[in-house]
Amino acid sequence: MNLVVVGAQWGDEGKGKMVDYFSDEAELVVRFSGGANAGHTVKIGSKTFALHLIPAGIISSGKSVVLGNGMVIDPASMFEELAAISAQSIEWEGRVFVSDRAHLVLPGYKSEDQSVDDMRSRPIGTTGRGIGVAYEKKASRDGVRVVDLWDSVIWDSMSKSDRAWLEPFKEWLAPMKINLAAFMLKNEGRKILLEGAQGTLLDLDHGTYPYVSSGVSVSSGASIGSAIGPRRIDKCLGVFKAYQTRVGNGPFPTEMRKDDEVVLANKLRELGHEYGVTTGRPRRIGYLDLVALRYAGWINSLDGFILSHLNLYDGFESVGLCTAYELDGEQIDYFPSSAAELERVTPLIENFDVWDGKVSEARNWEEIPDGAKKLVEVIEEYTGVAIHGFSVGPLRSETFMRTDAWTVS
Ligand code: IMP
């Protein structure tokens, strides 16, 4: 069975933690997009793991992980991460595979990424990890793939300094590189988790273009980026937070900007530790946007949502939800394609009373306070997508499902 997990907002929804949770039952985890611009923090007991490239499933002992062909890989960053994992006493040798069609991020790409963004009249706020440059070179057919390191014609055409930089990685990558299509065919029928990166609204096609990343963040990318046909995808789950965050620039219709809202935003930022894992930048905070969430449900053909961070509202008076936009005097309920229109919309915020009791203490659906259950129903009804699971704290033990992830209905 092939189960896809994507972010349903602007990234940082808690996907990494869910991937780690699902990988207990998964037999293989494949990441299908992005690069070291992503950041996952996984907490297991007293240990914290910050991952950028390696799928979170590496932490569950015995599981194999794959960096798919849809990714752009900075080998220096990858081997640094593996060294940090080794330092935490996790043995990964023989469990990490890399698609030989994945593209590489070369040393000059990072500074180019940053300087191109600095020169833009409307900077995107890139993480500066060379991701945009690597995908650009991929599309213009000037990229360097893992397999190309063993192609003497391509190797000889590279600059002396790039070759010198790549030489040690060539040796280390040799036992990890695989032909992913052949590998997936061999593994057909196993429980495979396909992990997305960033979030739906940062997707190159369906996000808030041009304020997006350069990879495919939606579920259809799982097919291309992990070398399986689209009909092999059995189930898609989308993770979202009970509020909205965004790092970097770009439209954010429900951002909390007014004086009284900023107080709430600061409170949520501190409670939720809303600072970028990759750059440390404070994340922008907004109300949960149901217009955008319904769009994410559609564009990813989600079978279910996982709701995270609802516990942050425990003890608050109310939760604000955006249920429509007003654009140029007209009420709309779709997610506009134009960044300028998204900048212009006014969100219609409805306030819901916060529950008695604590979501943070719930370990199954029955233990969720009644008021919070009502809110869940409002979200499900609006989006047409059922909420299959909850993450109510940073630990793996603070996660539970209402519907089994590995069952197809
Ligand atoms: P880039 O992909 O590093 O060029 O960044 C493009 C935009 O996507 C910037 O606004 C980044 O802040 C944002 N971005 C990229 N990766 C992530 C992520 O994993 N989480 C949240 N935002 C991201």
Side-chain angles (χ1 to χ4, degrees):
M1 174 184 171
N2 291 316
L3 169 66
V4 177
V5 177
V6 292
Q9 295 164 321
W10 277 290
D12 310 313
E13 301 90 349
K15 261 186 329 287
K17 187 195 150 184
M18 291 314 299
V19 167
D20 176 65
Y21 178 81
F22 292 139
S23 61
D24 252 0
E25 210 175 323
E27 293 166 276
L28 183 66
V29 184
V30 184
R31 177 155 157 207
F32 64 80
S33 183
N37 49 351
H40 292 327
T41 310
V42 180
K43 283 194 182 187
I44 313 249
S46 59
K47 290 186 178 172
T48 302
F49 300 85
L51 303 171
H52 299 280
L53 283 162
I54 309 292
I58 191 70
I59 294 158
S60 314
S61 56
K63 300 299 158 69
S64 291
V65 301
V66 178
L67 281 73
N69 57 276
M71 290 186 69
V72 289
I73 300 168
D74 174 353
S77 186
M78 173 180 157
F79 286 105
E80 243 169 60
E81 225 171 281
L82 289 173
I85 292 170
S86 297
Q88 300 243 49
S89 310
I90 299 217
E91 299 213 355
W92 54 265
E93 281 87 352
R95 292 200 289 129
V96 180
F97 300 96
V98 180
S99 164
D100 61 6
R101 287 176 182 268
H103 280 245
L104 293 169
V105 174
L106 299 185
Y109 292 12
K110 290 189 202 169
S111 50
E112 190 179 335
D113 204 7
Q114 195 59 62
S115 57
V116 167
D117 206 31
D118 291 344
M119 282 184 310
R120 285 188 173 107
S121 56
R122 303 176 301 172
I124 289 158
T126 175
T127 61
R129 295 296 187 270
I131 309 306
V133 177
Y135 279 120
E136 194 182 321
K137 289 195 186 289
K138 175 178 179 175
S140 66
R141 291 144 301 160
D142 296 313
V144 177
R145 299 174 305 164
V146 171
V147 71
D148 298 335
L149 301 183
W150 289 270
D151 181 316
S152 58
V153 175
I154 297 177
W155 182 256
D156 290 344
S157 70
M158 290 167 68
S159 74
K160 211 171 154 196
S161 64
D162 279 348
R163 282 200 307 249
W165 187 79
L166 283 166
E167 192 66 56
F169 301 127
K170 194 172 163 180
E171 193 184 324
W172 298 345
L173 282 167
M176 298 179 173
K177 74 174 163 70
I178 51 169
N179 178 309
L180 188 53
F183 184 88
M184 294 301 270
L185 182 58
K186 239 185 228 154
N187 281 286
E188 201 188 0
R190 300 182 81 197
K191 284 183 179 166
I192 304 181
L193 186 60
L194 306 172
E195 175 189 358
Q198 285 77 50
T200 302
L201 305 177
L202 286 172
D203 178 81
L204 185 61
D205 272 82
H206 299 292
T208 49
Y209 192 91
Y211 301 96
V212 291
S213 192
S214 314
V216 185
S217 308
V218 293
S219 61
S220 31
S223 166
I224 295 179
S226 32
I228 56 169
R231 287 171 56 205
R232 292 277 181 272
I233 294 176
D234 298 293
K235 189 167 179 176
C236 300
L237 295 177
V239 187
F240 75 99
K241 276 193 287 217
Y243 50 93
Q244 209 86 16
T245 63
R246 168 158 213 172
V247 210
N249 303 329
F252 188 167
T254 64
E255 186 166 20
M256 297 172 182
R257 294 193 191 98
K258 295 181 206 137
D259 286 351
D260 54 330
E261 292 176 331
V262 169
V263 175
L264 175 58
N266 290 341
K267 194 169 165 189
L268 287 169
R269 183 179 300 109
E270 293 316 309
L271 286 171
H273 310 292
E274 295 295 356
Y275 295 89
V277 177
T278 303
T279 58
R281 290 180 288 183
R283 296 180 183 141
R284 299 158 65 193
I285 313 274
Y287 300 103
L288 178 61
D289 185 340
L290 294 187
V291 179
L293 197 61
R294 178 166 54 196
Y295 172 64
W298 167 254
I299 216 74
N300 291 295
S301 58
L302 294 181
D303 295 282
F305 281 126
I306 315 286
L307 169 53
S308 75
H309 293 68
L310 185 60
N311 51 298
L312 259 61
Y313 281 111
D314 285 344
F316 279 48
E317 277 181 11
S318 63
V319 182
L321 300 186
C322 167
T323 50
Y325 296 152
E326 200 181 281
L327 175 64
D328 303 333
E330 254 183 67
Q331 194 165 312
I332 59 166
D333 63 358
Y334 63 88
F335 194 72
S337 311
S338 141
E341 285 184 3
L342 279 165
E343 292 283 6
R344 278 208 310 280
V345 298
T346 309
L348 196 90
I349 306 292
E350 290 188 39
N351 284 303
F352 291 80
D353 288 344
V354 164
W355 41 90
D356 294 325
K358 288 193 168 165
V359 168
S360 63
E361 289 173 3
R363 293 296 174 267
N364 55 52
W365 169 246
E366 284 66 41
E367 288 174 8
I368 296 258
D370 285 344
K373 281 185 179 158
K374 279 195 198 126
L375 188 76
V376 166
E377 282 161 16
V378 168
I379 298 170
E380 291 182 328
E381 200 171 310
Y382 187 100
T383 58
V385 179
I387 298 186
H388 284 194
F390 295 84
S391 165
V392 298
L395 301 176
R396 203 196 271 188
S397 56
E398 294 166 320
T399 318
F400 54 87
M401 297 298 291
R402 264 165 106 188
T403 306
D404 179 44
W406 294 100
T407 304
V408 181
S409 52

